[in-house]
Amino acid sequence: MISVAEVGHFALILAVGVALYQFIVPLVGAQRGDVAAMRAGISAAILQLVLIAIAFAALTHAYVTSDFSVLNVVENSHSAKPLLYKISGVWGNHEGSMVLWVLILALYGAAVALFGQNLPLELRARVLAIQGSIGLAFLLFIVMTSNPFIRVDPPPIEGNGLNPILQDPALAFHPPFLYAGYVGLSIAFAFAVAALIEGRVDAAWARWVRPWTLVAWMFLTIGIAMGSWWAYYELGWGGWWFWDPVENASFMPWLVATALIHSAIVVEKRNALKIWTVLLSILAFSLSLMGTFLVRSGVLTSVHAFAVDPERGSFILMILCLFIGGSLSLFAWRAPQLKAGGLFAPVSREGSLVVNNLLLCVSCLAVFVGTLYPLALETLTGEKISVGAPYFDLTFGPIILPLLLLVPVGAFLAWKRGDIGLAMKRLAWALVLALIVGAIVFALNVRGPWLAPVGMAIAAWLVFGAIADLAAKVALFKVPLATSWHRLTGLPRSAIGTAVAHAGLGVLVAGVIAISLWRIEVIVALKPGESAAVGKYTVTFTGEAPLVGPNYTGKVGSFTLKEADRELATLRSEKRNFKPSGMPTTEVGLYQTWHGDVYVVMGDETTGGARAMRMYYNPFVNFIWFGATIMFAGGLLSLSDRRYRVGAPKRAATAQAVPAE
């Protein structure tokens, strides 16, 4: 009798053949003008999704039923695990995460096939062919080096369990969101390569690329935020961002994707920056591929990285060389034949978006150097160095600061030729309010930190600038409120979404500034009944007790939190030891308010019966994730714009394409 796992294995192998068909047939059909061959890519993309979904469902079934005849389940699951972590264990390992990777890739390809009726048939065929080639490469990688369906005979009675730090609700959902962002950039990449083959980039092309890029950007934003939130409360270190190489591997594509969204606007509105936008589309996905390599090659040591053998890293490195090298070579060959597009003055909406792009790309380069330089140095010389927060703070910060100042101004500049004086005049009240915020912060912090007033003023500038943008569009207080409301409801949702996303960025910046400059840290040894002051709060250690969970044991410490004489909450911090590995983890005690968190971590026992404790007061830290959520909501609003639902405008029949050579 054929088992469910074997059905999944067969489906995965069949998907390789379908991906090969999807790669070759539509591409040849587009070159020859064969309509039937071009349409074959649509069916292939849908079939590939069905086959990979069957494989993923089969692997999930093996985890949920604790089928220990499958080696992957043995190595990453345990019968005592809660159901949520049995399911998340499917992608909590290298092999399963790669199946999720190709599943999301196939989902995007099928979406283009099903919802791309407004695309020219030749362009859709080429896009699906490029998607098929990416799917083929990674399906071969899975089948040849990372097969999740390898069997064990005889099967063991019990499995080894999932890495305990991955057994957390936030991390159960973090990888799917992050992969949806990573892999979503493959669509922009496919559109770019298809445009280079066709030799044509125009406003319609940009209109097709923008929603797909926006979807990827949204998922990257929320995925990075969820990863940051998980690291904050799960790892027990009290911070929200460590500049870990794997964190940077997701942050770099986000920076370039942000630049791509803005540059595509210029292509769509002004038919300019076409070559640059194609390059950004290639670079964004290239950085996503590089992130995949870093996490799975074994070259990094990180709580986020999968420890795998070099053979897999070599295979992924070949994939990188093929797609990054091949696409950049195609770009070098075909890009000079693309028509440059419209001209514009330096002071204009286009000019501000060019500066936006340059600053985002240079900041990405700074992160790229800091992330890869230690790896390159160790490879070439054997010398090991560490590049940490001081480097990134001194490089990334000064680059991104001008961008934050420019964001509200760019929205008020006219296309083609703008007036900076007029823009600042319309932003005068937002500037005044931002300066008032800075003055208040300075008055409350006359002894420092000196950067706090500047940082908070910039955050306020972003928020008030976004409000001023919408206020100007609806002529607030210049016409009756009913008229302004009518104008607001009639605005394109993309305009509202842009303002919301910019305001969310301001909220995020406020959170980053607050926790970076005002965080209070207390390290102390306490016995039961003893207390420590953390800012305006008093934390009393009331004692500890044994802890028994579904698949762990340990100790739980209880703490009473008071402000003055008023008791606010009882906090619990746990030290767990998971079965069967015995690996220890720490769960923090967290008291959250809108203005800050009290964060308590129970450490090891010291001599004399005391416990080492680390306590933090993190002011406004939740603004970071609240701001990221607002940015996601802004992207969602933009994506719901009717222009994206209706589709892109038809290409002009008189437009000239560069003939394929």
Side-chain angles (χ1 to χ4, degrees):
M1 181 177 178
I2 299 177
S3 70
V4 173
E6 288 169 338
V7 170
H9 192 187
F10 294 151
L12 208 57
I13 294 173
L14 286 173
V16 174
V18 173
L20 179 63
Y21 180 87
Q22 182 183 335
F23 169 43
I24 295 175
V25 175
L27 197 63
V28 173
Q31 187 69 21
R32 295 179 176 177
D34 186 335
V35 174
M38 287 188 283
R39 292 190 179 278
I42 299 172
S43 302
I46 296 170
L47 179 58
Q48 186 181 166
L49 173 62
V50 171
L51 290 171
I52 297 175
I54 291 171
F56 186 80
L59 186 59
T60 303
H61 177 270
Y63 270 84
V64 170
T65 59
S66 296
D67 181 359
F68 295 124
S69 70
V70 179
L71 179 62
N72 188 259
V73 180
V74 174
E75 293 177 340
N76 300 285
S77 193
H78 189 276
S79 60
K81 271 196 321 182
L83 179 61
L84 173 63
Y85 303 133
K86 286 183 178 180
I87 295 172
S88 64
V90 175
W91 56 80
N93 61 89
H94 168 75
E95 293 83 359
S97 71
M98 290 310 303
V99 177
L100 177 64
W101 206 99
V102 293
L103 175 65
I104 295 173
L105 182 74
L107 183 62
Y108 275 108
V112 173
L114 291 171
F115 304 114
Q117 295 94 338
N118 60 314
L119 292 169
L121 187 58
E122 295 85 352
L123 180 62
R124 180 162 58 162
R126 290 188 173 107
V127 168
L128 291 176
I130 302 305
Q131 284 290 107
S133 70
I134 299 170
L136 175 63
F138 279 96
L139 284 166
L140 285 172
F141 170 71
I142 293 171
V143 171
M144 296 174 66
T145 71
S146 308
N147 190 343
F149 294 107
I150 293 175
R151 309 303 289 272
V152 179
D153 189 22
I157 297 174
E158 194 53 85
N160 298 333
L162 180 66
N163 186 338
I165 65 172
L166 302 182
Q167 296 185 40
D168 180 85
L171 211 67
F173 300 102
H174 162 64
F177 278 109
L178 199 61
Y179 284 11
Y182 267 152
V183 180
L185 292 173
S186 67
I187 297 293
F189 174 84
F191 269 99
V193 173
L196 288 172
I197 295 173
E198 186 179 283
R200 187 173 181 182
V201 176
D202 53 21
W205 178 89
R207 179 72 66 82
W208 291 317
V209 168
R210 276 185 65 194
W212 297 106
T213 307
L214 186 57
V215 168
W217 178 88
M218 288 164 53
F219 281 122
L220 268 179
T221 299
I222 206 69
I224 292 171
M226 290 181 71
S228 170
W229 166 238
W230 167 80
Y232 172 70
Y233 76 80
E234 178 65 23
L235 299 184
W237 61 298
W240 66 279
W241 190 260
F242 193 65
W243 293 110
D244 179 280
V246 179
E247 290 176 331
N248 296 346
S250 60
F251 187 45
M252 287 186 287
W254 184 89
L255 290 169
V256 176
T258 305
L260 174 58
I261 290 172
H262 290 85
S263 67
I265 295 173
V266 181
V267 179
E268 180 186 345
K269 301 290 187 182
R270 297 286 304 144
N271 203 31
L273 300 185
K274 294 187 290 187
I275 297 173
W276 172 249
T277 302
V278 168
L279 179 60
L280 285 180
S281 301
I282 293 171
L283 293 179
F285 184 60
S286 298
L287 288 168
S288 294
L289 289 177
M290 190 195 73
T292 303
F293 168 72
L294 290 177
V295 173
R296 290 166 176 80
S297 63
V299 301
L300 291 180
T301 301
S302 166
V303 296
H304 307 80
F306 295 104
V308 297
D309 60 82
E311 179 186 352
R312 292 172 174 171
S314 300
F315 199 112
I316 294 183
L317 188 59
M318 287 191 292
I319 294 176
L320 259 68
C321 293
L322 175 64
F323 286 101
I324 299 176
S327 60
L328 290 177
S329 298
L330 179 63
F331 176 81
W333 173 39
R334 300 287 284 174
Q337 302 174 53
L338 296 176
K339 191 175 179 181
L343 300 176
F344 51 87
V347 179
S348 61
R349 180 76 63 86
E350 299 96 322
S352 69
L353 292 173
V354 168
V355 175
N356 159 292
N357 272 222
L358 291 176
L359 291 173
L360 284 168
C361 290
V362 172
S363 64
C364 179
L365 179 62
V367 177
F368 182 88
V369 171
T371 303
L372 292 189
Y373 176 73
L375 303 177
L377 184 66
E378 183 178 355
T379 301
L380 295 174
T381 67
E383 181 183 354
K384 292 187 177 182
I385 65 169
S386 176
V387 175
Y391 162 81
F392 293 104
D393 293 343
L394 290 173
T395 54
F396 182 82
I399 296 170
I400 215 68
L401 177 62
L403 176 61
L404 300 179
L405 294 173
L406 178 65
V407 167
V409 180
F412 282 89
L413 292 175
W415 293 104
K416 196 170 182 179
R417 184 179 299 275
D419 186 335
I420 190 71
L422 178 61
M424 292 306 300
K425 182 179 179 180
R426 299 171 72 185
L427 277 165
W429 68 266
L431 179 60
V432 169
L433 289 177
L435 292 174
I436 290 173
V437 169
I440 292 172
V441 173
F442 178 76
L444 296 174
N445 298 267
V446 291
R447 297 184 179 179
W450 307 113
L451 288 177
V454 177
M456 286 301 181
I458 292 173
W461 169 242
L462 288 165
V463 174
F464 292 133
I467 296 172
D469 181 26
L470 287 181
K473 285 182 169 65
V474 301
L476 187 64
F477 303 130
K478 295 180 180 179
V479 297
L481 288 178
T483 303
S484 293
W485 175 255
H486 180 71
R487 290 184 178 183
L488 180 64
T489 56
L491 281 178
R493 290 184 185 176
S494 60
I496 301 174
T498 298
V500 169
H502 289 170
L505 177 61
V507 174
L508 187 151
V509 169
V512 171
I513 293 297
I515 190 175
S516 300
L517 299 179
W518 291 325
R519 184 171 75 159
I520 298 171
E521 179 180 7
V522 176
I523 301 176
V524 64
L526 296 179
K527 295 180 180 179
E530 294 182 338
S531 302
V534 186
K536 64 180 180 179
Y537 299 98
T538 301
V539 179
T540 302
F541 179 34
T542 57
E544 61 183 73
L547 175 68
V548 178
N551 61 333
Y552 59 83
T553 58
K555 295 281 188 179
V556 55
S558 297
F559 303 83
T560 300
L561 178 66
K562 292 184 177 181
E563 182 181 3
D565 294 327
R566 183 167 62 97
E567 185 173 325
L568 299 177
T570 298
L571 306 182
R572 292 162 53 94
S573 178
E574 302 175 1
K575 294 190 71 66
R576 299 176 177 178
N577 288 283
F578 279 78
K579 305 173 185 176
S581 64
M583 180 176 175
T585 67
T586 300
E587 298 292 317
V588 305
L590 198 57
Y591 177 74
Q592 295 183 283
T593 67
W594 69 270
H595 56 76
D597 293 357
V598 178
Y599 185 105
V600 179
V601 184
M602 183 175 73
D604 297 327
E605 282 191 89
T606 63
T607 55
R611 281 270 186 186
M613 307 289 181
R614 285 185 294 115
M615 305 177 186
Y616 302 90
Y617 176 63
N618 295 327
F620 299 103
V621 64
N622 294 298
F623 278 36
I624 295 172
W625 303 294
F626 183 48
T629 304
I630 294 173
M631 293 169 70
F632 178 87
L636 197 60
L637 267 174
S638 295
L639 195 63
S640 69
D641 194 307
R642 181 176 179 275
R643 293 174 299 173
Y644 294 144
R645 298 199 305 273
V646 171
K650 297 294 183 183
R651 284 179 160 174
T654 56
Q656 305 232 338
V658 177
E661 295 181 11

